[in-house]
Amino acid sequence: MLNKFEIRTCIIVIVALFAFVLTRVLHITISSIYDPSYYLISHTMFELFSIFVSYSIFFHGWLTFQHTHSSQKLNLSLIFFAVGSIDLLHTLSYKGMPFFQSDNTLQVATWFWITGRLIESIGMGYYIVKQKDEEITEKWKNTKIGITILLVLLLIFSILKYEGHFPVLVKEGAGVTNTKIIIEYIISMIHFTTLVIIFRQYLLNRNRNDLTTFTGIIFILIAELVFTLYRNVYDIDNLLGHIFKVLGYFYLFRGIFFPQFRAIFEDKEKAELERQFAEEKLKEQESKVTSSILLAQEEERMRVSQHLHDGVGQSLYNILASLKVLKQLGVDDRIVHQLKHLEELTSQSMDEVKSIAFQLRPNSLDNLGLFSAIRIHIQRYESKFGIRVELEFSGKKQRYSPEIETELYRIFQEALNNAAKYAETEKIIVRIINNINSVELQIIDEGKGFNIHEYNDSKWQKGIGLYSMKERASLLKGTLEIESIENVGTKIKVVIPI
């Protein structure tokens, strides 16, 4: 069962063969309405298109060699470089063109033509038959290009210089000679053999590009047959042959050049997707590592805080109680004075231990929840820094998961510390908004602010404070935004889904 692409190819080939037959049947009618005065410009345009295709294939193979190092693609590009160069000389030396004109112009242009077709047929056959590819070095590439250029120049020189020694291919008014017909048939046989090989390859791998190339060679084969029929270089058969050749090169362009050109963009897109995937995996790993570090840090803080509170704090409390008992025994005044001094030092040490334990992990966060922990921290903060903090709640108060409460508390704690260090503010607003699907934390100061663009571009924009706040928010699939205006203040907004 043929697929759509195969059916379409069959239709194109049938139409091409039908067009060839139709032009033979209606040859006299077509010739009667054909105006040869437009032939030269038509011939030039058709040939320039073929030359464009040839050089496109060459430049693609040349420019992409540094990535592919493919001997097969380089060989194909050099084949079409030779074909395009010979066809260019054929176009420039054609009868009526202002280049290379002489008494033998017709023979020169025809020999350029037949040479290009021989290189084309043999080269395409070689490319199709030699499927094995291998990597070659830059030096060997340059050697191949140099040899190809020398051979092309040698052929051009030989045709221009010694054309008179070559067999006559066309006689004006009489048409092509037997020599040209035989050469065209040889070229046709080579193309036919190439067609058979391409078709067998397609049956094995079902590569659509092979079928497109197959179609191109069908048109070129028809063109070669037409070129055995014309009697004058300006007659309708010559024009029809060039039309079939242009159609053939159009399909060669689609079957050879376009897939390779498209492969570059596909490889680039694939590499970009792989890069994005690698970045996402890296971010995921970074997130996991950061999460593990923060979790371990929080667990260690909890352990140390509990140890300070239950261990060191309790010991200091026992010492303080013992000192009070000793002081009540009514011993010497100097001893009482020293005991009182020790009592004050112990009391201060207990306050410091409590403060450290609170900073590490406030018991209120675990026992009473986020709102109470924030309120208690604000009281200590105002007492320590003399900065007034207004606390606002919106929505229903509730307990969140331990992870959300811990990370929001740490973000709140870090934001207040930053404000005390850098903002030079007298007032801070802490706002907690409890939405249906998220909780929002806002910390707004009325300090000196900063230029957010300069901050983003500066070396220190990933300072540990703001960076850790962003990381904590991202760990909970949330967002953290910073808005700041110089001499107005700064706003930090955190939204965490619940």
Side-chain angles (χ1 to χ4, degrees):
M1 186 68 181
L2 298 178
N3 58 42
K4 290 183 179 179
F5 187 79
E6 291 170 342
I7 293 173
R8 186 173 66 181
T9 301
C10 290
I11 292 174
I12 293 172
V13 171
I14 292 171
V15 169
L17 295 173
F18 177 76
F20 170 69
V21 174
L22 188 64
T23 57
R24 305 322 311 155
V25 173
L26 302 177
H27 185 268
I28 297 176
T29 304
I30 297 173
S31 298
S32 64
I33 60 176
Y34 163 66
D35 186 358
S37 62
Y38 294 103
Y39 179 84
L40 186 61
I41 187 170
S42 301
H43 171 269
T44 303
M45 291 177 62
F46 291 150
E47 286 297 332
L48 287 178
F49 175 79
S50 302
I51 293 166
F52 166 77
V53 172
S54 297
Y55 279 138
S56 295
I57 295 173
F58 164 68
F59 280 113
H60 175 270
W62 178 36
L63 295 174
T64 59
F65 177 81
Q66 59 180 333
H67 302 293
T68 64
H69 291 276
S70 169
S71 174
Q72 188 183 36
K73 290 182 179 179
L74 179 65
N75 290 338
L76 178 68
S77 68
L78 294 178
I79 290 167
F80 276 94
F81 168 77
V83 172
S85 300
I86 297 296
D87 280 351
L88 179 62
L89 267 295
H90 163 73
T91 305
L92 296 177
S93 62
Y94 204 76
K95 183 179 178 181
M97 295 293 285
F99 309 99
F100 308 109
Q101 296 301 303
S102 65
D103 294 338
N104 294 326
T105 296
L106 178 60
Q107 303 305 320
V108 170
T110 307
W111 268 108
F112 276 130
W113 167 265
I114 210 72
T115 303
R117 305 291 66 76
L118 280 169
I119 297 173
E120 171 191 276
S121 59
I122 296 172
M124 283 294 298
Y126 172 78
Y127 171 75
I128 296 300
V129 171
K130 192 177 184 302
Q131 288 296 308
K132 184 180 179 181
D133 197 6
E134 56 186 16
E135 289 191 4
I136 60 174
T137 62
E138 184 76 19
K139 182 178 179 180
W140 185 227
K141 179 206 77 170
N142 293 332
T143 301
K144 281 191 170 186
I145 292 176
I147 292 173
T148 303
I149 293 174
L150 286 175
L151 289 175
V152 169
L153 291 175
L154 180 62
L155 286 171
I156 292 172
F157 175 78
S158 300
I159 293 172
L160 291 174
K161 183 71 175 178
Y162 301 107
E163 175 278 328
H165 299 281
F166 297 163
V168 175
L169 299 179
V170 180
K171 291 182 180 180
E172 189 67 35
V176 296
T177 65
N178 289 333
T179 302
K180 184 174 188 296
I181 292 175
I182 291 171
I183 297 175
E184 292 282 13
Y185 283 154
I186 292 173
I187 293 171
S188 299
M189 288 302 299
I190 297 172
H191 280 312
F192 182 78
T193 304
T194 304
L195 281 176
V196 174
I197 296 172
I198 292 176
F199 187 71
R200 290 179 63 183
Q201 289 179 359
Y202 176 76
L203 293 178
L204 291 175
N205 55 35
R206 298 291 173 175
N207 188 330
R208 293 176 58 171
N209 297 328
D210 288 342
L211 210 54
T212 304
T213 305
F214 176 90
T215 306
I217 296 179
I218 285 286
F219 277 102
I220 292 174
L221 180 58
I222 294 174
E224 294 300 331
L225 296 176
V226 174
F227 282 125
T228 65
L229 301 173
Y230 70 88
R231 293 181 175 276
N232 185 287
V233 293
Y234 281 179
D235 73 13
I236 188 63
D237 287 319
N238 208 342
L239 180 64
L240 290 172
H242 280 88
I243 292 174
F244 279 112
K245 180 196 172 189
V246 164
L247 291 172
Y249 267 68
F250 170 75
Y251 282 100
L252 285 183
F253 182 84
R254 292 188 61 184
I256 297 175
F257 174 77
F258 186 71
Q260 295 179 0
F261 191 72
R262 182 174 56 191
I264 295 176
F265 290 95
E266 290 176 350
D267 290 344
K268 181 180 179 182
E269 184 178 355
K270 181 180 177 182
E272 180 66 20
L273 290 174
E274 289 177 350
R275 183 190 64 80
Q276 292 178 359
F277 179 75
E279 285 185 353
E280 290 175 0
K281 292 293 290 184
L282 180 60
K283 288 181 180 178
E284 183 180 337
Q285 292 299 320
E286 286 181 349
S287 178
K288 289 181 179 178
V289 171
T290 304
S291 177
S292 299
I293 291 173
L294 292 176
L295 179 60
Q297 184 185 64
E298 206 61 44
E299 289 176 350
E300 182 64 15
R301 283 178 169 179
M302 186 182 298
R303 188 188 67 81
V304 173
S305 175
Q306 189 172 0
H307 177 70
L308 288 173
H309 185 272
D310 298 339
V312 179
Q314 191 62 41
S315 298
L316 288 173
Y317 177 78
N318 291 336
I319 293 172
L320 182 61
S322 298
L323 290 173
K324 289 182 177 180
V325 171
L326 287 173
K327 191 172 65 172
Q328 292 174 358
L329 293 177
V331 293
D332 186 270
D333 291 341
R334 288 183 301 174
I335 295 176
V336 171
H337 178 73
Q338 290 297 324
L339 290 173
K340 185 177 181 181
H341 180 63
L342 288 173
E343 183 182 353
E344 292 173 354
L345 290 176
T346 304
S347 181
Q348 291 175 4
S349 298
M350 284 185 64
D351 292 338
E352 291 179 3
V353 167
K354 288 180 180 179
S355 178
I356 294 172
F358 181 83
Q359 291 291 331
L360 287 172
R361 179 77 181 189
N363 289 331
S364 56
L365 184 61
D366 298 311
N367 300 329
L368 302 177
L370 176 66
F371 301 102
S372 299
I374 286 178
R375 185 181 291 107
I376 294 171
H377 184 84
I378 286 174
Q379 294 173 355
R380 290 174 173 268
Y381 183 86
E382 288 179 326
S383 176
K384 181 177 180 180
F385 295 106
I387 300 174
R388 184 163 57 91
V389 181
E390 293 183 2
L391 180 59
E392 301 176 1
F393 293 102
S394 177
K396 181 181 177 182
K397 294 182 181 179
Q398 66 180 72
R399 292 295 302 266
Y400 307 109
S401 67
E403 293 80 12
I404 291 178
E405 291 193 339
T406 298
E407 302 306 337
L408 281 177
Y409 180 82
R410 293 304 179 193
I411 293 172
F412 153 79
Q413 192 178 37
E414 185 64 40
L416 260 63
N417 288 340
N418 286 341
K421 290 179 183 178
Y422 309 115
E424 299 179 8
T425 182
E426 295 180 356
K427 178 183 175 183
I428 299 173
I429 298 174
V430 177
R431 186 176 295 134
I432 300 176
I433 304 172
N434 190 31
N435 300 310
I436 297 175
N437 298 317
S438 65
V439 56
E440 182 177 328
L441 171 65
Q442 297 179 7
I443 300 96
I444 306 167
D445 69 62
E446 299 177 355
K448 64 180 183 180
F450 59 92
N451 188 313
I452 192 70
H453 300 293
E454 290 181 0
Y455 166 77
N456 288 332
D457 295 334
S458 66
K459 296 179 181 178
W460 46 270
Q461 66 101 358
K462 285 191 177 181
I464 190 64
L466 294 179
Y467 178 73
S468 67
M469 285 195 289
K470 290 182 178 180
E471 282 299 305
R472 290 181 184 278
S474 65
L475 288 176
L476 299 173
K477 310 299 182 184
T479 59
L480 185 142
E481 299 175 3
I482 302 174
E483 301 174 8
S484 188
I485 301 176
E486 291 181 287
N487 301 318
V488 174
T490 301
K491 176 182 178 180
I492 296 175
K493 176 183 174 183
V494 185
V495 179
I496 304 297
I498 56 175

